[in-house]
Amino acid sequence: SSGINAEWPLRPGGGSKSTRNLVVSIATVAEHGERRDLCVRITSQSDSFMLYDLRISEEDYINLKSQQGLLIDFHAFPTKFIELLRSCEAGQEKFELHLQTHTST
């Protein structure tokens, strides 16, 4: 399991831009013998109701990789994802991380 704790811009449903300290963790989990899943979780230390949880199987990742033109294989993705987040945090990349949240009613 890998993770990062940093502040990133959040855009709540109303469109205002705020910064919140987020915890991002990513891991590859083996279940049911051979099957592996990629688990991504984003939480906020200041908001106990903020949770984003994604679980994607190795087979689904292969389809996503093909559709999105990703160059990273399933096994290398967690490490490369955290490296990209750390680069964004340090301002080293031409990318920025923006998380848009929606309030369900």
Side-chain angles (χ1 to χ4, degrees):
S1 174
S2 301
I4 187 168
N5 182 350
E7 289 192 4
W8 284 296
L10 286 177
R11 292 204 177 132
S16 66
K17 188 175 179 179
S18 64
T19 300
R20 186 179 299 171
N21 193 8
L22 300 179
V23 178
V24 178
S25 60
I26 185 168
T28 305
V29 179
E31 287 190 3
H32 311 297
E34 302 281 325
R35 182 184 163 171
R36 292 196 210 191
D37 290 343
L38 185 63
C39 301
V40 179
R41 175 170 281 182
I42 302 173
T43 58
S44 171
Q45 294 177 334
S46 62
D47 182 357
S48 58
F49 294 104
M50 197 280 187
L51 170 66
Y52 174 80
D53 206 7
L54 170 70
R55 190 173 195 124
I56 186 168
S57 70
E58 189 168 3
E59 296 82 24
D60 289 338
Y61 181 83
I62 291 168
N63 292 333
L64 179 68
K65 179 181 174 184
S66 174
Q67 292 170 358
Q68 299 295 318
L70 301 176
L71 302 175
I72 305 299
D73 68 6
F74 181 81
H75 303 288
F77 186 80
T79 302
K80 293 298 182 183
F81 183 70
I82 293 297
E83 286 176 11
L84 179 61
L85 291 178
R86 290 193 190 284
S87 295
C88 289
E89 178 187 23
Q92 298 173 351
E93 292 289 330
K94 59 184 174 185
F95 305 106
E96 289 184 359
L97 177 68
H98 295 274
L99 180 62
Q100 186 167 344
T101 61
H102 298 279
T103 306
S104 60
T105 54

